[in-house]
Amino acid sequence: MKPYMFNSIKLKLVIWFIIVFSVFFAALEIFLYNEIEELTLELADEHVHSELETLANLMAIEEAQGHMVDELQELSAAVTGVYAEKLSGHYYQILSSDGRILVQSPSLSLAGGSLPVVAPGKEPVFATITGPGGEPVRMMTQSFDFAMGTLTFQAADSLEETAELMGSFRMIVLAIFPAVFIVCILGVFLITGWALRPLRSFSGKVGEITEENLGERLDERGTAAELRPLAASFNTMLGRLEESFSKQRQFLSDASHELRTPTSIIKSFCDITLGRERGAQEYRDALKKIGETVNRMCDIINRILVISRMDSKTIQFKPARVELMDLMKDVKRLIEQTALHKGVTMSIGGRDVAVKGDREGLTEVFTNIVENAIKYNRPGGRVDINVGEFMGNAVVSVEDTGIGIPEEELERIFDRFYRVDASRGVTVGSGLGLSIVKTIIEAHGGRIEVKSQRGKGSTFTVFLPVKNGNAAAQA
Amino acid sequence: MRILLVEDEKDLAGIIKQGLEEAGYAVDMAHDGEEGLYMAETYPVDAVVLDIMLPLMDGIEVLKRLRKKGVTTPVILLTARDALLDKIKGLDTGADDYLTKPFVFDELLARIRSLLRRKATVKEAVIRVADLEVDTASHQVKRAGKSVPLSAKEYSLLEFLAYRRGNVVSRTDIVEHIYNEEAEMDSNVVDVYINYLRNKIDRDHRKKLIHTVRGAGYILKED
């Protein structure tokens, strides 16, 4: 047996039910049995008590009339009814103070038996004894004072009827208990099965959801109240899953789309160049173009790799103290050639601020931003870099005099593979640069903002939390 | 035959243009949607190769506007996405064919030929006029079973006439369909090429196929 077989709500419910039901039902029956037994005994006692009292009253009347002892035998002879019948189960006898049997009911005398003699006492004494016929009897003994002396009265009634009653009660209980027990267990099985049905259908519905139909949701309102929170949190989880799946799918499709353009350039160059015999120069030109395109492809692939590593968090940032002014000067040096080529003047101003971050990552960030500022600038334009501090943040702004970004596109420029240039007739870059920038900045706990005016230029502002001195060492 | 190529990726556009020209087509080139739309409306091109992802106006929009203005020039859509929905959308908008990047260049040529045939009165890949055979796929020309070597321009001219066999074709038509916008528009050039063609095709044969229709142009027919 595997342990999980016992890990069933239904089985647990049934076991608990059996235990509780058995204990309760057994206790109830024991209690009822005792109660009934006591009650029947009380009834028997009452009965013998009234018999005995009748006898005693009779004796008192006889005594008052003056004929006492002589009459006793007559009394016994005159008895009719159940007391006259041999071993009828109803007996009496009267004893003298010295323990002699003065009178016996014919039911006793006819059988030649007697009730066991008990010491006289003024208080009534009850006892269950074995009667002359071997049957259990309830006997009462009580002594009264008469002129002739103390007389002890004994009356007894058979308990056979009571025993019979209790016997049949026991029979009934023993027969009913298992029947009720079985019916109840069946009931519990059915009820738990019925109660757990929503859970089964719930898990059935959950089981139907795969990668293909992540858009489906569980019907929260149609679910049992107890399962609603589960359905709700399941739906929330599905939502998150769906989002991440679709993001991933989108990324994959965008990435493959991005690679198709250079692939088709290479392919077309091969197809067309190989289509006929050509001179060496033509082959060289074609190979050169193919080489350039392959470089472009490699760049795209590298960026895709960076992004997917950042997504899977396998890129390790090595945080260290980075002086931003110093870093921006490095960036300027890296890009100076491009700026010169385009005829764009770069300037750096402000004051030095240190942050804790990954120097390589931050270099990538600012190189990208400044490169864009130059790329989309006009010849003779400017790129002004300012480093400063504002409300606990290091602030680096890069302002250009370029073509600007249309307002409706501002939101999307940080999206992966989104290219503003695509709609401006300029084809450069992979469309991944700014999304990498944003990811790196966010990994540093910072944010990036952009303001732009068409035709006048754009300003990218990067905010990075300042952590210098001791704070940097602790963080 | 004159083809308009609308593709923003300049390297790709350049090499495709080269390939198409080597295949004997006159090629006009546009690098964004608006320019593409303007050229497709204005120039008498025989087919348009239209990229979907274009700056300023995407290919689907260009196509939509073209068809709305009643321009029925055959259009082949080029796209880097092979999503079925894109294809359906493109074809429903009025594209005649669809090609996913990267494509085999010969396939593009074959599809262009197929579109040109669809528009022409001739539906076969090999056009026959009497004992003249013009194979539009291999660009091989035969007269009476003998191969006739032609230059690219000569072939283009003959093919243009062959597609319209039995119909008079004006000099302007010829110039517009076998040259792109960059060429000098001089209809004398046509006469020169017609002369070359006659030398190669008709001179050695008693039955002449290229006829001059005075004041109208030329016609390729059996007699």
Side-chain angles (χ1 to χ4, degrees):
Chain A
M1 277 259 197
K2 289 169 184 153
Y4 65 77
M5 285 204 62
F6 294 104
N7 195 5
S8 143
I9 294 178
K10 194 173 180 173
L11 196 65
K12 279 179 185 163
L13 275 175
V14 169
I15 289 172
W16 272 108
F17 171 78
I18 290 173
I19 292 171
V20 171
F21 179 85
S22 308
V23 169
F24 176 77
F25 207 76
L28 180 76
E29 293 200 334
I30 290 167
F31 171 77
L32 276 181
Y33 187 85
N34 286 339
E35 279 295 300
I36 290 172
E37 196 172 38
E38 215 171 282
L39 204 71
T40 48
L41 214 57
E42 257 171 43
L43 280 173
D45 286 355
E46 247 170 57
H47 197 242
V48 285
H49 193 211
S50 70
E51 272 171 27
L52 196 134
E53 259 177 3
T54 311
L55 270 179
N57 286 338
L58 216 59
M59 286 308 288
I61 293 165
E62 294 292 326
E63 192 191 44
Q65 289 175 359
H67 35 73
M68 181 69 205
V69 179
D70 318 336
E71 304 293 325
L72 282 174
Q73 290 308 320
E74 277 172 44
L75 183 76
S76 98
V79 167
T80 54
V82 285
Y83 293 103
E85 225 172 278
K86 181 181 173 185
L87 290 180
S88 65
H90 300 272
Y91 314 104
Y92 62 78
Q93 63 184 18
I94 302 169
L95 306 172
S96 65
S97 53
D98 55 357
R100 248 177 339 105
I101 297 171
L102 297 177
V103 184
Q104 265 189 326
S105 66
S107 53
L108 270 179
S109 53
L110 282 175
S114 63
L115 296 172
V117 175
V118 180
K122 289 287 187 298
E123 289 300 312
V125 173
F126 291 94
T128 303
I129 54 159
T130 308
E135 78 276 39
V137 292
R138 191 67 173 164
M139 184 180 76
M140 179 183 170
T141 309
Q142 193 172 12
S143 305
F144 298 95
D145 290 331
F146 290 93
M148 56 175 284
T150 303
L151 288 181
T152 302
F153 290 76
Q154 284 184 305
D157 268 332
S158 165
L159 283 176
E160 236 165 20
E161 271 175 36
T162 313
E164 234 169 72
L165 184 72
M166 291 317 293
S168 49
F169 181 73
R170 239 185 342 260
M171 282 305 291
I172 287 167
V173 163
L174 287 180
I176 281 177
F177 181 80
V180 170
F181 191 74
I182 288 166
V183 167
C184 284
I185 284 179
L186 277 177
V188 167
F189 259 107
L190 289 176
I191 286 170
T192 50
W194 177 76
L196 292 175
R197 209 171 43 189
L199 198 64
R200 256 201 308 281
S201 87
F202 183 87
S203 80
K205 276 184 257 166
V206 169
E208 279 168 19
I209 294 173
T210 64
E211 197 185 326
E212 307 307 318
N213 56 353
L214 271 179
E216 278 180 28
R217 292 290 177 274
L218 299 174
D219 177 17
E220 281 174 45
R221 270 193 243 158
T223 314
E226 290 82 355
L227 292 178
R228 241 168 265 163
L230 187 62
S233 48
F234 194 81
N235 280 344
T236 316
M237 188 191 79
L238 271 183
R240 281 199 301 267
L241 257 183
E242 192 191 7
E243 200 188 311
S244 95
F245 257 101
S246 89
K247 261 191 189 166
Q248 217 163 341
R249 214 171 286 157
Q250 184 64 40
F251 181 71
L252 211 63
S253 128
D254 285 346
S256 75
H257 167 243
E258 236 15 72
L259 289 172
R260 270 170 204 243
T261 303
T263 312
S264 43
I265 294 174
I266 294 171
K267 190 152 181 51
S268 297
F269 265 96
C270 293
D271 283 357
I272 292 162
T273 311
L274 291 173
R276 59 173 63 184
E277 282 301 318
R278 291 172 195 278
Q281 187 58 43
E282 275 187 82
Y283 286 124
R284 262 198 294 277
D285 288 346
L287 280 178
K288 200 173 147 231
K289 264 281 183 290
I290 289 172
E292 281 168 17
T293 315
V294 168
N295 285 344
R296 200 170 121 194
M297 247 174 127
C298 287
D299 187 48
I300 296 171
I301 291 169
N302 282 338
R303 280 163 183 250
I304 289 172
L305 273 178
V306 167
I307 287 216
S308 73
R309 284 212 197 103
M310 282 200 274
D311 279 357
S312 60
K313 308 241 179 328
T314 48
I315 273 198
Q316 290 293 319
F317 283 122
K318 289 171 236 113
R321 189 182 152 91
V322 179
E323 275 154 20
L324 287 177
M325 196 56 109
D326 192 43
L327 183 105
M328 293 317 292
K329 281 176 186 158
D330 273 3
V331 169
K332 185 172 175 250
R333 230 166 289 146
L334 274 170
I335 303 175
E336 213 138 47
Q337 211 48 44
T338 322
L340 219 63
H341 190 73
K342 179 102 188 188
V344 173
T345 321
M346 280 198 282
S347 79
I348 301 183
R351 61 182 194 80
D352 198 10
V353 184
V355 295
K356 186 176 183 292
D358 181 72
R359 193 173 178 104
E360 217 172 292
L362 290 177
T363 308
E364 166 105 31
V365 164
F366 291 110
T367 313
N368 253 297
I369 296 174
V370 177
E371 229 169 20
N372 279 340
I374 291 165
K375 206 190 295 177
Y376 299 114
N377 223 313
R378 54 181 168 78
R382 297 189 52 78
V383 173
D384 295 308
I385 301 165
N386 193 71
V387 183
E389 198 178 335
F390 180 70
M391 286 176 68
N393 277 314
V395 184
V396 180
S397 64
V398 178
E399 192 177 353
D400 66 54
T401 55
I403 51 181
I405 303 158
E407 201 175 329
E408 64 271 18
E409 305 197 22
L410 275 179
E411 271 177 39
R412 298 175 54 198
I413 57 169
F414 296 108
D415 290 356
R416 283 167 188 188
F417 296 109
Y418 186 76
R419 254 197 238 153
V420 184
D421 26 326
S423 57
R424 289 195 265 175
V426 191
T427 317
V428 261
S430 58
L432 284 171
L434 282 179
S435 96
I436 292 180
V437 162
K438 188 174 179 233
T439 314
I440 296 176
I441 292 173
E442 281 171 358
H444 280 82
R447 69 196 153 87
I448 181 164
E449 282 177 7
V450 58
K451 284 196 187 99
S452 189
Q453 231 182 327
R454 269 196 107 156
K456 290 201 170 167
S458 317
T459 307
F460 284 83
T461 313
V462 175
F463 298 85
L464 292 167
V466 172
K467 285 171 185 168
N468 44 14
N470 291 334
Q474 280 164 15
Chain B
M1 296 283 139
R2 187 167 169 182
I3 289 166
L4 171 63
L5 171 65
V6 192
E7 165 66 63
D8 63 320
E9 194 63 51
K10 294 211 172 82
D11 286 338
L12 188 59
I15 188 66
I16 292 177
K17 181 175 193 278
Q18 187 193 333
L20 289 174
E21 281 173 350
E22 285 175 2
Y25 296 105
V27 180
D28 294 293
M29 209 163 36
H31 294 305
D32 65 61
E34 285 179 2
E35 193 187 4
L37 178 62
Y38 170 78
M39 289 170 85
E41 275 172 20
T42 327
Y43 299 167
V45 293
D46 298 290
V48 180
V49 177
L50 181 62
D51 190 20
I52 287 186
M53 296 272 282
L54 285 172
L56 301 179
M57 188 192 293
D58 70 42
I60 298 282
E61 186 61 32
V62 171
L63 184 59
K64 208 183 280 174
R65 293 197 188 185
L66 267 185
R67 294 295 184 241
K68 212 173 163 190
K69 286 183 176 160
V71 179
T72 56
T73 316
V75 171
I76 299 182
L77 283 177
L78 285 188
T79 182
R81 294 188 189 276
D82 56 3
L84 188 63
L85 221 68
D86 280 5
K87 289 184 190 175
I88 292 169
K89 199 173 152 200
L91 293 172
D92 279 349
T93 311
D96 299 271
D97 209 342
Y98 200 102
L99 208 52
T100 308
K101 288 179 186 174
F103 49 85
V104 178
F105 188 70
D106 282 343
E107 189 181 353
L108 177 65
L109 287 180
R111 285 176 190 254
I112 289 174
R113 280 198 299 274
S114 147
L115 286 191
L116 293 177
R117 273 203 301 280
R118 223 180 282 172
K119 203 178 118 184
T121 45
V122 198
K123 303 290 176 198
E124 309 83 47
V126 179
I127 306 169
R128 288 189 178 80
V129 182
D131 56 355
L132 172 72
E133 285 179 21
V134 180
D135 186 335
T136 56
S138 66
H139 291 194
Q140 292 292 313
V141 177
K142 282 181 186 168
R143 182 79 204 259
K146 256 180 71 184
S147 179
V148 182
L150 293 178
S151 76
K153 267 288 166 272
E154 287 163 0
Y155 172 79
S156 303
L157 175 57
L158 180 62
E159 191 194 74
F160 188 69
L161 290 172
Y163 271 126
R164 289 160 182 74
R165 65 173 178 195
N167 293 310
V168 178
V169 184
S170 75
R171 285 185 180 77
T172 324
D173 261 359
I174 294 171
V175 167
E176 280 181 347
H177 284 92
I178 66 174
Y179 291 102
N180 62 15
E181 50 148 351
E182 292 147 16
E184 289 289 322
M185 296 272 271
D186 184 357
S187 55
N188 284 334
V189 176
V190 178
D191 295 336
V192 172
Y193 276 110
I194 289 284
N195 210 25
Y196 290 165
L197 267 187
R198 276 184 166 147
N199 281 339
K200 291 188 176 175
I201 289 168
D202 281 348
R203 199 180 56 193
D204 300 339
H205 300 268
R206 204 173 50 82
K207 200 181 208 173
K208 308 298 180 202
L209 297 176
I210 302 169
H211 308 272
T212 310
V213 181
R214 212 154 289 283
Y218 299 97
I219 186 168
L220 184 71
K221 59 171 185 172
E222 261 185 65
D223 42 77

